[in-house]
Amino acid sequence: MASLLQRPPGLFRQEIEDKMGKHLGEMVTVRYQVIGTYDSGDIIFLNSSHDYETDFTAVIFKDDEKYFQRRGIDPVEHYNGKTIKVTGELKEYDGPEIVVYQQYQVEVVG
C-alpha cells in the first residue's frame, strides 16, 4: 500500500465514479469541489454533489475531527465550497468514498 506521503496519481471525481470498481481498495487522490458539507453528529461529510447517496464523498469521523481542530480547522466551514484533493483508500458505502483520518489527507487547491 502506498504511503500517504507519496501521493498517488490524482483523479477527478467523475473518473472515480465512472471507474470505481477498478480503483476500490487502492490509495487514490481525488480532486473535486465540495458543494456542501454536513455534520451528522457522528460523521462529517464533504460532498461532491447533491446526490450524496451515490456520488463521491469524503468522510471524517467525529473522533478524528480533533486532528483538524488542533490546526485551527473546522472541516464543515473550512472546506465548504472549495476545491480539494483528498488522498486515501477508496471504499464503497452507497457510492465511492474516502475516509479521512488526518488533516494532511486533505489539500485545498486553486
Side-chain angles (χ1 to χ4, degrees):
M1 180 159 55
S3 164
L4 287 178
L5 298 176
Q6 301 171 317
R7 290 211 185 255
L11 300 165
F12 289 96
R13 172 188 69 91
Q14 191 63 45
E15 292 175 281
I16 285 295
E17 291 169 1
D18 291 344
K19 300 175 184 175
M20 180 173 54
K22 178 181 176 185
H23 297 288
L24 275 178
E26 293 181 3
M27 292 294 281
V28 296
T29 296
V30 180
R31 180 185 176 125
Y32 69 100
Q33 182 174 7
V34 179
I35 59 91
T37 58
Y38 176 70
D39 185 341
S40 73
D42 294 323
I43 302 171
I44 296 169
F45 297 90
L46 308 178
N47 296 316
S48 68
S49 84
H50 295 291
D51 192 359
Y52 57 86
E53 292 183 356
T54 59
D55 293 343
F56 180 81
T57 193
V59 299
I60 303 167
F61 288 96
K62 287 301 262 190
D63 288 345
D64 297 320
E65 183 181 22
K66 64 183 172 250
Y67 301 116
F68 293 81
Q69 292 171 338
R70 288 179 187 162
R71 298 193 180 270
I73 296 172
D74 172 359
V76 173
E77 296 297 322
H78 185 75
Y79 298 119
N80 194 27
K82 294 187 177 150
T83 299
I84 62 172
K85 289 183 183 178
V86 178
T87 301
E89 181 183 352
L90 185 66
K91 299 181 179 190
E92 182 178 10
Y93 184 83
D94 291 331
E97 74 173 25
I98 291 177
V99 177
V100 177
Y101 300 100
Q102 296 282 337
Q103 180 273 330
Y104 63 79
Q105 289 179 257
V106 182
E107 176 187 356
V108 176
V109 295

